[in-house]
Amino acid sequence: MPGEAPLVDWLRAGPAWIPELSLVALDPDGAVIGHVVCTRGTIGAAPALGLGPLSVRPDWQRRGVGKALMHAVLGAADALGEPLVALLGSTEYYPRFGFRPASEYGIVPQHLEWGAHFQVRALTAYDPAVRGEFAYPEPFDRV
Ligand SMILES: CC(C)(COP(=O)(O)OP(=O)(O)OC[C@H]1O[C@@H](n2cnc3c(N)ncnc32)[C@H](O)[C@@H]1OP(=O)(O)O)[C@@H](O)C(=O)NCCC(=O)NCCS
C-alpha cells in the first residue's frame, strides 16, 4: 500500500491507536524486520478492528515472520475480547489465518469495489448481529 509509513505515524498520533496491538519482529541485532498493527474501527456503534499495515522487510520475507505476526496479533486481539478483525488484502494470503470475505458476515466496506479483498476474521467475542458498514479510523482516508 503506498503511504504506509506516514499512515502508521498518523494512526499512532490519533485516538484509534491500541498499543497492545502494535507488534514488531526483531532481528538478532534488534533491528525491526516486520510489524503489524490493528487499530480501532467501527461497524455502526459497535467496535471492531482494522488490521494494517502488515509488512516484513524484503530480505526477511517468506521465512514465517508475517505468519507469526498475524497469529500473534489475532491472538492478542482475541485475548482482549475484540469481536472481529477486518482487512483489505490478498485473497491468497489471508484466508490461511481464518479470514473470509466480509460479505459472508454481512459486513460491507466503505468502498464496494474492494469486493472479496475486504475480509473479516471472526474472534471468540464475535456477534453475528453486528452487521453493516465497517469504518476504518480516519487516517486511512488520507492514503
Ligand atoms: C505479505 C507479507 C507481509 C508476508 O510476510 P512474510 O513474512 O513474507 O510471509 P510468511 O513467510 O509468513 O509467509 C509466506 C507465504 O505467504 C505467501 N505470500 C506472501 N506474500 C503474499 C502475497 N502478497 N500474496 C499471496 N501470498 C503471499 C507466500 O506465497 C508464502 O507462501 P509459501 O510459504 O507457501 O511459499 C510480506 O511478504 C510483505 O511485507 N510483503 C510486501 C508488502 C505487501 O505485499 N503487503 C500486502 C499483503 S496483501
Side-chain angles (χ1 to χ4, degrees), residues 37-89:
V37 61
C38 288
T39 51
R40 173 62 60 220
T42 54
I43 300 170
L49 293 173
L51 189 149
L54 162 69
S55 58
V56 175
R57 213 172 72 187
D59 55 321
W60 278 87
Q61 289 177 6
R62 301 207 162 202
R63 294 163 70 173
V65 175
K67 180 194 293 186
L69 287 170
M70 285 297 294
H71 282 282
V73 82
L74 291 171
D78 201 39
L80 291 171
E82 294 289 339
L84 68 87
V85 180
L87 62 73
L88 176 65

Side-chain angles (χ1 to χ4, degrees), residues 6-19 37-40 137-140 142:
L7 174 59
V8 174
D9 289 339
W10 295 331
L11 287 166
R12 198 185 309 109
W17 191 256
I18 302 169
V37 61
C38 288
T39 51
R40 173 62 60 220
E138 179 277 331
F140 279 88
R142 305 188 219 169

